Amino acid sequence: TAGETLLEVNNIEVIYNHVILVLKGVSLKVARGGITALLGGNGAGKTTTLKAISNLLQSERGEVTKGTILYEGERVQHLDPAALVRRGVIQVMEGRHCFAHLTVEENLRTGAYTRRDGRTAIEADLEMVYGYFPRLKERRRSQAGYTSGGEQQMCAIGRALMSRPKTVLLDEPSMGLAPQLVEQIFEIVRAVNENEGVSFLLAEQNTNVALRYAHQGYILESGRVVMEGSAAALRENDDVKEFYLGMS
Ligand code: ATP
């Protein structure tokens, strides 16, 4: 049911290269059916937290050395990223990784690779994605590498949706995009959340926009959660206003 805890990170510690302690005991919860924002400045540990959840740290020589990660009540630290995708958790990496030499539509189709249901379901989901991102439909035959930054971000999110996720870990969707486009992307995230019931954990440096769309928020500083609460409460908090919203 909506509102219950879907994903729970308990006191995790992450170390890179055996020596660099980056997460110093991070705990957070993602509610089913919610949008949870993970906020903080450059290098605070947002990406590391997302990668710890989706088990993508290994290739970066990073390791969760303490704490637990529970998804739907079960420990998922032993699952590889593909197994997690089958469980319904997918990460959209920072920097909108699309395959540059594939067309937009081919990129979207690669998102369905872990699925075992038939062609019809996949075609229906392609139309679902095009419904949210009409721009991608217009650009479907273009090579992704030649599309704009905003279109590539849409393509990366659309591809994630093609795996029929329950939870999307979205890393810095606003990065490098003009304000109007940022709003557009967040509007779509909200619509997908409301209409498809997909939960989001989104890492953002843009506190202002993230707290307008999220339900809950956590603020990270140097690998620790320094503040948490409902988005509405965080928006009204004096420290958040002064240090993160740029209006004291
Ligand atoms: P950004 O917005 O820049 O991505 P972030 O909050 O996502 O910031 P992380 O990318 O998680 O922060 O980085 C947290 C800290 O970990 C930084 O000090 C960074 O230099 C360090 N770090 C990240 N990746 C590695 C790595 N592979 N090896 C060593 N240190 C790393």
Side-chain angles (χ1 to χ4, degrees):
T1 40
E4 71 181 13
T5 300
L6 184 59
L7 171 70
E8 192 173 340
V9 173
N10 293 309
N11 205 23
I12 59 166
E13 208 175 76
V14 168
I15 297 182
Y16 284 112
N17 291 315
H18 304 290
V19 288
I20 311 165
L21 177 63
V22 166
L23 297 189
K24 303 159 187 169
V26 167
S27 300
L28 61 87
K29 287 178 180 174
V30 173
R32 192 186 292 277
I35 301 178
T36 304
L38 187 56
L39 306 164
N42 220 323
K46 304 179 298 297
T47 299
T48 301
T49 304
L50 297 192
K51 286 187 174 171
I53 296 166
S54 48
N55 220 339
L56 289 168
L57 285 173
Q58 216 165 18
S59 57
E60 315 240 353
R61 299 178 48 79
E63 201 186 351
V64 178
T65 50
K66 212 180 89 182
T68 57
I69 301 170
L70 303 176
Y71 186 72
E72 294 182 314
E74 284 175 44
R75 287 185 72 142
V76 288
Q77 270 136 298
H78 60 286
L79 296 181
D80 61 56
L84 263 171
V85 174
R86 284 194 294 273
R87 291 282 299 268
V89 185
I90 192 158
Q91 178 157 353
V92 179
M93 304 275 239
E94 187 175 56
R96 23 183 196 264
H97 290 267
C98 288
F99 300 110
H101 58 286
L102 297 184
T103 66
V104 165
E105 183 155 312
E106 285 164 349
N107 265 284
L108 294 177
R109 287 181 185 283
T110 63
Y113 79 104
T114 54
R115 290 172 53 164
R116 301 201 173 108
D117 49 2
R119 217 185 137 70
T120 342
I122 291 172
E123 295 309 310
D125 286 346
L126 199 55
E127 286 311 311
M128 179 268 292
V129 169
Y130 286 147
Y132 287 107
F133 298 101
R135 187 71 192 141
L136 291 183
K137 189 163 191 174
E138 288 167 27
R139 301 290 265 144
R140 67 186 185 278
R141 293 188 223 290
S142 307
Q143 267 196 6
Y146 291 108
T147 63
S148 72
E151 288 160 355
Q152 288 183 36
Q153 182 61 271
M154 292 177 189
C155 181
I157 298 172
R159 188 177 60 184
L161 296 180
M162 288 299 292
S163 71
R164 271 280 164 195
K166 287 188 255 186
T167 305
V168 176
L169 311 176
L170 188 50
D171 199 355
E172 209 94 34
S174 78
M175 198 175 67
L177 300 184
Q180 206 188 339
L181 214 45
V182 172
E183 288 305 325
Q184 213 179 318
I185 301 260
F186 273 85
E187 288 290 346
I188 293 165
V189 166
R190 175 185 277 163
V192 170
N193 169 255
E194 287 176 358
N195 303 335
E196 314 295 327
V198 174
S199 309
F200 286 86
L201 175 59
L202 59 96
E204 255 307 332
Q205 286 199 43
N206 188 335
T207 311
N208 188 350
V209 74
L211 285 182
R212 278 191 287 110
Y213 288 91
H215 305 111
Q216 296 287 323
Y218 291 84
I219 301 183
L220 276 183
E221 271 175 26
S222 315
R224 289 194 173 87
V225 174
V226 293
M227 237 184 289
E228 61 182 272
S230 72
L234 289 173
R235 274 200 309 267
E236 293 307 315
N237 180 285
D238 287 338
D239 289 336
V240 175
K241 282 186 189 168
E242 181 173 353
F243 297 111
Y244 291 97
L245 296 174
M247 38 159 140
S248 44

